[in-house]
Amino acid sequence: MNNRIQELRQQRGWSQAHLAETLEVSRQTVNALERGRYDPSLPLAFRIARLFDLTIEDIFQP
Amino acid sequence: MNNRIQELRQQRGWSQAHLAETLEVSRQTVNALERGRYDPSLPLAFRIARLFDLTIEDIFQP
DNA sequence: GATTTGTGTAAAGCATGCTTGACATATGGC
DNA sequence: GCCATATGTCAAGCATGCTTTACACAAATC
């Protein structure tokens, strides 16, 4: 599953660590998601979508 | 996380077993999701949303 | 009364999501 | 050169998602 997390994060000038704090996950989790190592849980996908003010469908492409 | 899976399934007159086959998961998984025992993975949430022709946000409420 | 269909649940096991701690590398400022 | 920041990765461990097998119960049909 592809996602636009890195693109959306960089648009805002945030580090992976800053995004991780905001989402209340570890920095390693943000890194793994951006690199496509695994998909987020549904609750985390909702937090990501809300943070960027987008829908889950806008950010994740199955 | 609440969801409308049971409502959407019953609107269509489907059994849990039929929905499970369509989604390519076990009947126990459908039952667990409807009863709120756990949330689906993001890929499964996408399959559910597509099947009912709705967005993930329409079906799942965090 | 026996059978079938639909639903709920439990146990055991494997796969995935997420954690902490640690280390490596690159880049930029001093 | 040294330090700080940012990123990538690994290992071990715990939590969650999903499977198969199995059993129980209710309602409908025969």
Side-chain angles (χ1 to χ4, degrees):
Chain A
M1 172 128 39
N2 282 347
N3 71 69
R4 297 173 50 214
I5 297 176
Q6 179 172 21
E7 167 196 347
L8 295 165
R9 173 180 66 81
Q10 289 178 340
Q11 281 176 4
R12 286 156 180 79
W14 295 343
S15 67
Q16 292 181 348
H18 175 77
L19 176 56
E21 284 169 27
T22 307
L23 293 172
E24 295 184 306
V25 292
S26 69
R27 179 181 70 82
Q28 287 85 339
T29 293
V30 167
N31 187 276
L33 295 176
E34 287 193 356
R35 313 213 85 234
R37 289 169 56 76
Y38 49 73
D39 298 318
S41 67
L42 189 55
L44 179 52
F46 267 97
R47 299 207 299 280
I48 294 167
R50 290 188 161 181
L51 176 60
F52 291 120
D53 201 27
L54 293 169
T55 66
I56 290 178
E57 284 83 354
D58 284 332
I59 301 177
F60 299 90
Q61 301 97 27
Chain B
M1 171 130 35
N2 282 347
N3 71 69
R4 297 173 49 213
I5 297 177
Q6 180 171 19
E7 167 198 348
L8 295 164
R9 173 178 65 81
Q10 289 179 339
Q11 281 176 4
R12 286 155 180 80
W14 295 343
S15 67
Q16 290 182 350
H18 174 76
L19 176 55
E21 284 169 28
T22 307
L23 293 172
E24 297 183 305
V25 293
S26 68
R27 179 180 70 82
Q28 287 81 344
T29 293
V30 168
N31 186 276
L33 295 176
E34 287 193 357
R35 313 212 86 236
R37 290 169 53 78
Y38 49 74
D39 298 318
S41 67
L42 190 55
L44 178 52
F46 267 95
R47 299 209 298 281
I48 294 168
R50 289 187 163 180
L51 175 60
F52 291 119
D53 201 28
L54 293 170
T55 66
I56 290 178
E57 283 83 354
D58 285 332
I59 301 177
F60 299 91
Q61 302 97 27

